[in-house]
Amino acid sequence: MRDTTESPFRISRIGKGLTVVINVVAATFTPHPHGGPMKGTALRRTASRRVTALLTSLVAAAAAAVVALTPATASAAESNGGVRIMPLGDSITDGFTPLPGGYRIGLWNRLATGGYKVDFVGSLSNGPASLGDHDHEGHSGWRIDQLDANIVNWLNTSDPRTIMLQIGTNDMNQNYDIANAPARLSTLIDHIRTQKPNAEVFVATITPEQSPGLETRVEAFNAKLPAIVSSKGARVHLVDMYKALTLSDLSDGIHPNPGGYDKMAAVWYNALRSVPASLVPLASPAAGGLVNTQSGRCLDVNGATTTAGSQAVLYDCHGKANQQWTRTASGELRVYGSSCLDASDNSTADGTQAIIWSCKGSANQQWRINADGTVVGAASGKCLTPAANGTANGTKVQLATCDGRAAQRWTTAA
């Protein structure tokens, strides 16, 4: 949603740090109390006092914000190894006015009370201490197309098992090509499904609005969602959020009040529980072979050698020691017990060869196996890929930018 009463500063997380951006509003000067304009020294003194006061308050606010958000600067610290769930949407997902964290607070507490172990994921972070995990992808003021422009990167970074999507309110409020908003949402869902074909995706109708004109748009948009969702397959689920709220549940005619957010939390909780798989992590390969889905061949240490620097290649699966990879808690892929799959020379460039090397715990030996079958280097963020998308025995395996091609997907074999 468009935030009409935003604070003078907003904090957004970039990588593992925080960037504080202070938006300063240009100062304006009122007329002299007796009706005439202030002149000369009086104007300069008044301007000086106001600028000083403004800067003092901004510095104090920014400092307080940094202190308040310090625990959230390292998102990994909030990861408890539970089911990775991405809250995805706009300012209602963010929790804009009057409740930072929004529905995520009540949802987290319900999940914890119910005995579910979850890990909210996303590039943004906010909310009170009562919210056990602050991560999310709720972007205030954003429309469907803006989420769509970023979704692939977010999914590759966060690798969610489950996605809770609610978007479209800003398309209605900004009068942005409203007739085609349902089609944009359909495309966004397609992109999510392509990137994360095994993820459970929950698509919520958007909530009511107080303005009669906007409400008409909301109702027309929501009416299109059931057909869209039903066309996307068994892993895409409709959540009727619109019926859960009334106008009395809104704080400003657009965003829910605390009671409204809690109603949303209950609906999300029931929706997740109605699909038990959404609250269970996908099985991760712990040991055995890694099979390239395009070729049907296994990740293999060339020539069955144990020498450091030996090339990883594709080869017919035979289950011998040079094709047995063990995934450790730190993200290593070990072979022969003490050797690790390694991005050669600590490089992160496309074309970097995948080799074996003595395990040393470095980032170039850590790999994330995603729900969509991609194997992504922790240091590079790039996918394990057969050279030139090859399928033949002996094809070298290397790093390449993740782009969804079939050659970048792997499955496990006993």
Side-chain angles (χ1 to χ4, degrees), residues 22-23 30 47 73 137 169 200 221 234 254 286 295 330 379-380 394-395 403:
I22 302 178
N23 299 318
T30 57
T73 57
E137 289 292 359
T169 297
E200 300 292 341
F221 175 77
I254 299 173
S295 65
S330 61
S380 64
T395 299
D403 56 18

Side-chain angles (χ1 to χ4, degrees), residues 150-413:
N150 292 274
I151 192 62
V152 171
N153 287 336
W154 293 335
L155 293 176
N156 281 337
T157 299
S158 296
D159 186 30
R161 166 69 175 104
T162 297
I163 298 158
M164 303 187 307
L165 171 63
Q166 186 187 46
I167 191 67
T169 297
N170 290 303
D171 297 72
M172 305 300 107
N173 292 2
Q174 296 173 23
N175 196 24
Y176 183 80
D177 189 18
I178 291 174
N180 290 310
R184 290 194 297 276
L185 179 64
S186 179
T187 299
L188 171 60
I189 296 170
D190 288 342
H191 290 161
I192 293 172
R193 294 283 295 122
T194 297
Q195 200 66 24
K196 297 293 174 186
N198 296 318
E200 300 292 341
V201 182
F202 294 82
V203 181
T205 54
I206 58 177
T207 47
E209 299 215 33
Q210 191 168 39
S211 163
L214 295 177
E215 177 66 4
T216 297
R217 297 175 185 175
V218 167
E219 292 175 353
F221 175 77
N222 283 339
K224 301 287 187 180
L225 267 59
I228 291 172
V229 170
S230 66
S231 71
K232 302 302 180 184
R235 288 195 171 95
V236 182
H237 318 280
L238 182 68
V239 179
D240 195 348
M241 197 64 71
Y242 176 83
K243 289 183 179 178
L245 273 65
T246 67
L247 295 183
S248 64
D249 295 313
L250 305 180
S251 66
D252 57 2
I254 299 173
H255 302 86
N257 56 34
Y261 277 126
D262 197 59
K263 288 182 178 180
M264 292 184 69
V267 173
W268 279 123
Y269 179 61
N270 290 331
L272 293 173
R273 292 177 67 224
S274 73
V275 183
S278 71
L279 294 169
V280 178
L282 288 172
S284 297
L290 277 175
V291 183
N292 182 255
T293 56
Q294 177 175 265
S295 65
R297 292 191 162 96
C298 279
L299 184 66
D300 178 289
V301 181
N302 193 34
T305 64
T306 59
T307 305
S310 296
Q311 176 72 47
V313 298
L314 295 181
Y315 205 83
D316 291 334
C317 299
H318 49 61
K320 295 181 181 178
N322 65 317
Q323 292 184 355
Q324 294 295 306
W325 302 90
T326 300
R327 186 181 180 192
T328 68
S330 61
E332 298 166 324
L333 285 171
R334 289 192 173 226
V335 65
Y336 306 134
S338 60
S339 293
C340 280
L341 188 67
D342 179 290
S344 183
D345 294 327
N346 294 302
S347 177
T348 60
D350 280 10
T352 297
Q353 299 301 307
I355 61 173
I356 61 167
W357 202 266
S358 297
C359 296
K360 54 190 177 183
S362 55
N364 72 311
Q365 293 184 346
Q366 295 171 351
W367 307 85
R368 184 177 72 248
I369 302 180
N370 290 333
D372 63 358
T374 53
V375 180
V376 180
S380 64
K382 293 181 176 176
C383 281
L384 202 61
T385 310
N389 300 320
T391 60
N393 279 334
T395 299
K396 293 181 178 180
V397 177
Q398 58 190 29
L399 295 181
T401 299
C402 300
D403 56 18
R405 71 185 90 162
Q408 293 179 338
R409 302 190 189 277
W410 303 77
T411 59
T412 60

